[in-house]
Amino acid sequence: FASKDAQDIFGGAYVVAPQSPDFWMDELDLGSVVLRGGGHTDKLVSLIKEVIDNNPDIDPTRIYIGGCSMGGYQTWKTILAEPGLFAGAFPICAAYAPTEDELKTVVDLPIWITHAESDDTVPFENSENAYNTLKQLGGDVTFTPYPDVTYAGVSYPTHWSWIYVLNNAPVNAEGIHIMNWLSSQQKIKSLKTYHLVTEVMDYGQTITKVIIDLGQDIDSSKLNINSFKVYAQHLVGQDIAFEGYKTIQSIYTSQSLNGTKSSKGRYVVIELEYGFGVDGAGTLYWDNDAFSNVPMELKYTITQMSDLLYDDGSSLYKGLTIYQQGKSINVLVDDFTYEKSSSGLNYRQFTPTKDNIKNPLIIWLHGAGEGGNNNETQITGNQGAVAFATDEFQSKFNGAYVIAPQAPDFWMDELVLGSLVLNGGGHTDNLVSLIKEVIKNNPDIDPTRVYIGGCSMGGYQTWKTILAAPELFAAAFPICAAYAPTEEELKTVIDLPIWLVHAKEDDTVPYENSLNSYNLLKSLGGHVTLTSYDNVLYDDIVYPTHWSWIYLLNNDPTNDQGIKVIDWLSSQSRTVEPIKTGDTNLIPLYTIGMILSIMGIAYIIIKRRKIV
């Protein structure tokens, strides 16, 4: 196989020739003497894998094994132990007769058997029977028998049929010689899909996991953090924002794509390093010139670093699998549908589980960096809208609709960044129209429990919206708002419960915006609360001083009564004015209706004996 002719056929090939320290067979019976050996199959398989590992340019899809006599015996033993490792096998005058059950494990492996009928050392029937059984099983098998061993005019011992193979003499029915046939055999790489998992944290959307679908169960104990490598490219157009290997924190199996840990499962979950300030963890790129978060294209490459053992005992060999990137699983974000209002504003909507009761509506307004037309960054830039879709917050509202509109540019008319002025604004009327449209299109929204809030420029738009249509809302929560309403403006919202949050050391939006609004509203008799923080330090992480929304989205602000902000918000409800037409007051009819309803409910409760 190292000869020029053979190397030309294979286009160059590595050749290894292991040596048994005694015999490949467990015993060699020579009549009066029995020689012991064997038990080398596991070590031989390990050797082959080691050679592949140590020579990265070996093609793992083109591994061939063969041998003569006792080497034919060990060829059978090796392919029966690890059939998936090989692309082809050629046992010659093999001193082994595999059983039917054994041969069932190699029906998919191309095998070419050679044997001389007059072999006086190893029975010809060994090869003949193996061929016939494999044929019956539907195996990919070729058999070349010879009457004796005569080659190039020389008669050799009848056992030496390897002389034919090593001179490339055997020919199959298609006229192809054995070495040419062998060189053309190649394993088809199996295709596995993996998915990226993202979650929105306090600091924005980040990649937390990779989940690989292996198609069948694997034991978690067979995995370790070195089983795979994860390489990432984060692209902004043609530019690379991040490139490198990701740090793997843990690896385990799951029985579903939700990633719940189990002792075994078809899914391999690779948990990656992430956190505030961790390079290459986020999904968004900050474009300072456009003052905007830009979604990056995420290209990941998974490399299997060691052979894995399926739960049924079969192997998944490294180098024999292609791992292709599938979808991104965006936790909670995927629960928000893509919507567009008739006025033209994009928005995302979370709809609670239908429960035959009216549910409140929460409007979250994004900051300056999340505008545009992608209809994504307004819910991925920070935990804003997503926080209200969590089980924790949903339980406080007994289920709530959540919408996150996106300004096509900025909520403000202009954003002054030194010498750069970015224009936008003028969206208040369209936003009010959108909110009314959502209420109309979802009859189970409770119009008396509509809440609105946002951070920074979203706080600006919160003020603009409640000043334009205060009658729509039950409560508002402007956070570090980039707007300072006048006293005349605040007179229109004195009946609206408002909770302000701001850090005193905010280096982006003046704390005085919120402080002055609070003092003015208080002096006017408004229903207002202000929670001030010195800076933004939460969960032992120091964030930029402008990010005071982190406190509200973790339900940290607490009023004088010890009530936390989200619990307070969920309890707010506006009074519906009695319906009037001209001079006719319909209060009596409304009152009678209410009394009848209460009487009906009381009757049902008493009837069912459920009085507490």
Side-chain angles (χ1 to χ4, degrees):
F1 285 98
S3 69
K4 184 181 184 306
D5 287 346
Q7 286 289 302
D8 286 346
I9 289 171
F10 286 90
Y14 284 76
V15 184
V16 296
Q19 184 180 39
S20 167
D22 35 48
F23 303 98
W24 294 123
M25 296 172 69
D26 294 334
E27 64 178 30
L28 181 61
D29 189 349
L30 301 173
S32 60
V33 62
V34 177
L35 301 176
R36 305 290 178 184
H40 306 302
T41 301
D42 289 344
K43 290 181 180 178
L44 179 57
V45 169
S46 177
L47 179 153
I48 296 167
K49 292 180 178 180
E50 191 174 313
V51 170
I52 298 170
D53 287 347
N54 294 338
N55 297 277
D57 54 335
I58 287 178
D59 182 351
T61 69
R62 299 180 68 205
I63 310 298
Y64 312 117
I65 188 170
C68 59
S69 192
M70 193 179 289
Y73 166 98
Q74 191 57 51
T75 297
W76 279 117
K77 283 292 188 181
T78 309
I79 64 176
L80 291 170
E82 293 280 344
L85 189 58
F86 303 101
F90 52 103
I92 312 165
C93 57
Y96 189 67
T99 67
E100 181 176 349
D101 283 340
E102 287 178 321
L103 290 172
K104 286 177 181 177
T105 65
V106 292
V107 290
D108 295 325
L109 176 63
I111 299 172
W112 192 317
I113 301 168
T114 307
H115 210 137
E117 297 175 15
S118 55
D119 191 320
D120 57 3
T121 304
V122 170
F124 172 74
E125 289 73 24
N126 281 10
S127 297
E128 184 178 42
N129 292 340
Y131 168 75
N132 289 332
T133 303
L134 264 176
K135 265 297 184 186
Q136 290 172 1
L137 293 170
D140 184 359
V141 62
T142 301
F143 182 35
T144 303
Y146 289 94
D148 52 25
V149 182
T150 301
Y151 184 77
V154 181
S155 293
Y156 294 96
T158 56
H159 180 48
W160 290 17
S161 47
W162 56 82
I163 286 178
Y164 292 113
V165 175
L166 301 178
N167 283 281
N168 200 21
V171 182
N172 64 16
E174 289 76 37
I176 300 170
H177 287 263
I178 188 168
M179 284 195 186
N180 304 79
W181 167 87
L182 190 65
S183 69
S184 70
Q185 304 306 308
Q186 185 170 12
K187 288 187 68 64
I188 298 174
K189 290 188 177 184
S190 61
L191 189 63
K192 308 296 181 187
T193 301
Y194 61 90
H195 309 288
L196 303 183
V197 178
T198 72
E199 298 178 53
V200 181
M201 307 297 182
D202 290 327
Y203 41 85
Q205 189 181 54
T206 188
I207 302 103
T208 60
K209 300 181 185 76
V210 174
I211 299 181
I212 305 171
D213 184 358
L214 292 183
Q216 62 187 91
D217 282 356
I218 190 169
D219 194 320
S220 214
S221 65
K222 307 292 192 242
L223 297 168
N224 61 63
I225 60 171
N226 297 314
S227 297
F228 292 91
K229 278 189 176 180
V230 179
Y231 190 81
Q233 279 189 325
H234 294 187
L235 305 176
V236 182
Q238 299 299 314
D239 298 327
I240 298 174
F242 171 83
E243 184 172 26
Y245 284 101
K246 304 298 291 285
T247 300
I248 296 175
Q249 302 282 44
S250 67
I251 186 168
Y252 54 86
T253 55
S254 176
Q255 294 182 346
S256 68
L257 270 174
N258 64 19
T260 303
K261 186 180 291 188
S262 61
S263 60
K264 64 180 179 180
R266 64 180 283 180
Y267 299 97
V268 171
V269 182
I270 302 174
E271 291 190 332
L272 304 174
E273 179 187 20
Y274 64 89
F276 180 60
V278 173
D279 197 23
T283 67
L284 301 175
Y285 172 79
W286 179 254
D287 184 338
N288 202 51
D289 292 337
F291 206 78
S292 178
N293 273 308
V294 179
M296 292 184 285
E297 181 185 0
L298 307 175
K299 287 188 175 180
Y300 276 56
T301 302
I302 306 299
T303 305
Q304 184 182 330
M305 300 305 296
S306 59
D307 297 335
L308 301 177
L309 194 64
Y310 283 122
D311 202 45
D312 65 1
S314 60
S315 296
L316 179 65
Y317 299 101
K318 67 175 186 178
L320 295 182
T321 304
I322 297 172
Y323 292 92
Q324 67 173 1
Q325 186 169 329
K327 63 183 179 181
S328 287
I329 300 170
N330 307 297
V331 178
L332 288 179
V333 167
D334 288 339
D335 294 334
F336 284 75
T337 56
Y338 289 84
E339 308 290 346
K340 192 183 191 87
S341 73
S342 57
S343 61
L345 286 180
N346 286 328
Y347 67 100
R348 297 290 288 274
Q349 176 173 316
F350 175 86
T351 302
T353 303
K354 299 298 181 183
D355 50 12
N356 297 319
I357 64 169
K358 292 233 179 227
N359 301 106
L361 169 64
I362 302 164
I363 300 105
W364 173 262
L365 301 175
H366 64 79
E370 287 75 51
N373 294 301
N374 54 55
N375 210 2
E376 290 183 16
T377 51
Q378 79 269 30
I379 62 172
T380 59
N382 58 45
Q383 207 179 14
V386 170
F388 288 98
T390 61
D391 289 343
E392 179 188 356
F393 279 18
Q394 283 289 303
S395 66
K396 293 181 182 297
F397 293 90
N398 199 19
Y401 284 79
V402 184
I403 62 169
Q406 184 178 41
D409 33 52
F410 302 99
W411 294 122
M412 295 172 73
D413 294 334
E414 64 178 26
L415 179 62
V416 180
L417 301 170
S419 60
L420 180 66
V421 178
L422 301 175
N423 295 314
H427 305 302
T428 300
D429 289 346
N430 287 342
L431 180 57
V432 170
S433 174
L434 181 155
I435 295 167
K436 291 179 178 179
E437 191 175 309
V438 170
I439 296 170
K440 179 182 177 182
N441 292 341
N442 297 276
D444 54 336
I445 287 178
D446 183 350
T448 71
R449 299 179 68 204
V450 178
Y451 314 118
I452 189 169
C455 60
S456 192
M457 193 179 287
Y460 164 97
Q461 190 57 51
T462 298
W463 278 119
K464 285 292 187 179
T465 309
I466 62 177
L467 292 170
E471 74 284 351
L472 265 183
F473 305 103
F477 51 101
I479 311 164
C480 56
Y483 188 67
T486 65
E487 183 174 351
E488 286 303 309
E489 287 178 319
L490 290 173
K491 286 178 182 178
T492 65
V493 291
I494 55 174
D495 295 326
L496 178 63
I498 298 172
W499 192 317
L500 306 170
V501 178
H502 213 133
K504 296 176 183 177
E505 301 297 324
D506 192 321
D507 59 1
T508 304
V509 171
Y511 168 68
E512 286 70 27
N513 279 12
S514 296
L515 180 63
N516 294 341
S517 297
Y518 169 75
N519 288 333
L520 280 172
L521 264 175
K522 265 296 185 186
S523 68
L524 293 169
H527 302 282
V528 62
T529 300
L530 170 63
T531 300
S532 304
Y533 294 92
D534 291 332
N535 45 43
V536 183
L537 171 63
Y538 187 78
D539 203 19
D540 296 326
I541 300 175
V542 178
Y543 293 102
T545 55
H546 181 47
W547 292 16
S548 48
W549 56 82
I550 285 176
Y551 288 114
L552 185 137
L553 298 174
N554 284 279
N555 200 21
D556 186 81
T558 308
N559 65 16
D560 293 339
Q561 290 76 47
I563 301 170
K564 289 186 175 293
V565 62
I566 302 301
D567 303 84
W568 166 87
L569 188 67
S570 66
S571 68
Q572 303 306 307
S573 179
R574 68 181 177 87
T575 303
V576 178
E577 293 295 327
I579 302 171
K580 292 184 178 182
T581 304
D583 294 328
T584 305
N585 194 327
L586 300 182
I587 292 178
L589 290 176
Y590 175 82
T591 304
I592 292 170
M594 287 296 293
I595 293 171
L596 290 174
S597 296
I598 292 168
M599 289 175 64
I601 293 168
Y603 173 79
I604 292 170
I605 292 173
I606 294 169
K607 190 75 173 177
R608 296 185 179 179
R609 299 181 177 180
K610 290 187 177 179
I611 299 176
V612 178

